[in-house]
Amino acid sequence: RVIHRMCGQPMVYLRLAIDTPLRRTFDYLPPAEGAPAGGWQPGLRLAVPFGRGEAVGVLLEAVGTTEVPAAKLRQVLATLDTEPVLDAVTLGLLRWAADYYHHPIGEVFAAALPVLLRQGRAAQADRRLWSLTGAGGAALEGTAVPPARLGKRQREALELLRTHDAGLTLAYYAA
């Protein structure tokens, strides 16, 4: 067990599950910018150097000691999330599954994440909303200059948008 100190304060090590066939976790040093606003919460995704490339790991825990020699510890490249993508119950279930089925923990966690999250993409989808513009409202009311000639489907679409002030997603409109 190795305990390091930085400026008199005990170091924090980040224990990660990384998608690899190895049946172990990996310890890293926090990134230079420090902890995210909410602290080091299990379930956060972190971009890390791994081998000759980079990987996305899931934070299992922040610990005060490590078995890894200081010279071999590498620093996290980036924190990908502001909030954990996996909650405590799911983390517990995935740890149990890896143990029960004798499967590498990193592969179990990777299988639980959607492909885009495994690749380090944003956890929050880009959400585009459609809403009624002034020109659309004028066309619907017949006050547009020049006068707009709306087809039946166009008028239905504008009427639907008028009834939803907060806007509509394309999926809602298509349904």
Side-chain angles (χ1 to χ4, degrees), residues 59-167:
L59 179 65
L60 299 175
E61 58 187 339
V63 295
T65 62
T66 183
E67 301 287 331
V68 181
K72 292 201 173 225
L73 283 169
R74 298 174 82 183
Q75 195 167 40
V76 169
L77 301 173
T79 304
L80 301 175
D81 306 305
T82 56
E83 297 178 12
V85 293
L86 298 170
D87 61 24
V89 173
T90 305
L91 287 167
L93 175 65
L94 295 174
R95 282 179 177 251
W96 174 86
D99 184 51
Y100 183 83
Y101 292 107
H102 303 284
H103 202 75
I105 193 165
E107 288 185 351
V108 171
F109 274 77
L113 294 174
V115 174
L116 294 178
L117 292 184
R118 278 184 257 156
Q119 294 172 349
R121 303 266 181 88
Q124 298 294 325
D126 179 24
R127 189 165 175 229
R128 296 181 187 198
L129 296 174
W130 295 81
S131 60
L132 187 64
T133 63
L140 196 54
E141 293 169 6
T143 59
V145 179
R149 295 183 55 184
L150 298 175
K152 179 182 175 189
R153 301 275 296 170
Q154 290 172 320
R155 182 168 298 286
E156 288 172 359
L158 291 174
E159 289 287 353
L160 183 64
L161 290 174
R162 181 192 296 186
T163 61
H164 292 82
D165 292 336

Side-chain angles (χ1 to χ4, degrees), residues 14 16 28-36 40 44-49 54-59 74-82 120:
L14 305 176
L16 306 176
Y28 282 85
L29 293 170
E33 65 267 9
W40 294 116
L44 289 172
R45 292 176 310 134
L46 304 168
V48 296
E54 293 181 11
V56 173
V58 176
L59 179 65
R74 298 174 82 183
Q75 195 167 40
V76 169
L77 301 173
T79 304
L80 301 175
D81 306 305
T82 56

